[in-house]
Amino acid sequence: EVQLVESGGGLVKPGGSLKLSCAASGFTFSSYAMSWVRQSPEKRLEWVAEISSGGSYTYYPDTVTGRFPISRDNAKNTLYLEMSSLRSEDTAMYYCARRGGSSLGYAMDYWGQGTSVTVSS
Amino acid sequence: QIVLTQSPAIMSASLGEEITLTCSASSSVSYMHWYQQKSGTSPKLLIYSTSNLASGVPSRFSGSGSGTFYSLTISSVEAEDAADYYCHQWSSYPCTFGAGTKLELK
């Protein structure tokens, strides 16, 4: 059974930093690209970062470029998101999601339960 | 970036009713994915590549569309279908999501 379990969220002050982790199990982690997606309190979904299966390529939207580097440790089956210079608008539930293969049109076929990040003074 | 506009924002339906949710893209996309999110849970893949049901999804769900207009249809709404539904495109970076349609049961 595919499982993605996020951790590392919490309350942080503006300008602060946080590192999220996502532990994967039930599939060959090193074979899949992975993403982080956040959901605002208003329930809007926003893609935050993507990393290729081997970790060589990373992609970001302009809203977080440079602030939220994504990384992975395939030996530990773990995905990371290092968040810095946090702003109030970064407050959200953060999900890790597996990007399915070409047979699924690269849709996000599995999502974790999420970890909550609140940026407030 | 490609903006996805979903309508309606809220859909109120009766049990057994057929409903259609729509997703309009600001530029042409190759295909659309749809996710279902029930209260207190994470999004779940419902339909991929416009019209393919994800594993375990009931056949009352269907998807169609092309170019800039896509839709999700539930042929006979059941109580368990109450949820938020989001469309999602990854034809170009950044991938984007619609704002969602909330399906409520009358």
Side-chain angles (χ1 to χ4, degrees):
Chain A
E1 178 194 6
V2 172
Q3 284 200 323
L4 299 170
V5 180
E6 301 93 335
S7 60
L11 174 63
V12 61
K13 289 181 168 54
S17 300
L18 214 52
K19 184 174 182 177
L20 307 184
S21 299
C22 171
S25 61
F27 65 103
T28 304
F29 181 68
S30 59
S31 295
Y32 290 86
M34 298 292 295
S35 284
W36 287 96
V37 177
R38 66 185 179 185
Q39 186 167 37
S40 68
E42 298 75 29
K43 302 179 75 174
R44 288 262 185 169
L45 290 169
E46 180 186 14
W47 168 69
V48 169
E50 183 197 8
I51 187 166
S52 62
S53 57
S56 297
Y57 303 98
T58 57
Y59 308 89
Y60 307 92
D62 290 343
T63 49
V64 305
T65 295
R67 294 195 300 130
F68 291 2
I70 187 173
S71 61
R72 66 191 296 162
D73 185 333
N74 284 345
K76 294 183 178 179
N77 291 343
T78 304
L79 178 72
Y80 303 100
L81 188 70
E82 294 195 69
M83 309 167 68
S84 63
S85 303
L86 284 162
R87 311 164 181 165
S88 58
E89 54 264 38
D90 296 319
T91 293
M93 182 71 78
Y94 284 73
Y95 296 100
C96 70
R98 189 179 84 168
R99 195 172 182 192
S102 57
S103 62
L104 290 177
Y106 301 105
M108 297 181 191
D109 61 350
Y110 287 94
W111 299 59
Q113 87 289 347
T115 187
S116 179
V117 173
T118 301
V119 183
S120 175
S121 55
Chain B
Q1 68 177 39
I2 295 176
V3 176
L4 302 180
T5 302
Q6 290 189 243
S7 63
I10 302 174
M11 167 79 79
S12 184
S14 302
L15 293 177
E17 184 179 351
E18 178 177 290
I19 64 163
T20 297
L21 314 181
T22 66
C23 179
S24 176
S26 59
S27 299
S28 181
V29 298
S30 302
Y31 46 75
M32 194 67 71
H33 308 308
W34 293 87
Y35 302 86
Q36 177 192 63
Q37 186 178 30
K38 296 184 179 180
S39 180
T41 69
S42 54
K44 167 192 163 185
L45 179 63
L46 192 69
I47 290 175
Y48 64 92
S49 301
T50 301
S51 59
N52 300 282
L53 298 185
S55 177
V57 174
S59 58
R60 63 180 180 274
F61 290 92
S62 63
S64 65
S66 65
T68 62
F69 191 81
Y70 293 82
S71 63
L72 167 68
T73 297
I74 307 177
S75 61
S76 179
V77 171
E78 297 191 6
E80 65 181 19
D81 300 335
D84 295 325
Y85 293 85
Y86 296 90
C87 56
H88 169 226
Q89 71 80 24
W90 216 329
S91 292
S92 65
Y93 282 88
C95 77
T96 50
F97 293 86
T101 291
K102 184 178 185 66
L103 174 60
E104 297 178 335
L105 280 294
K106 288 180 183 175

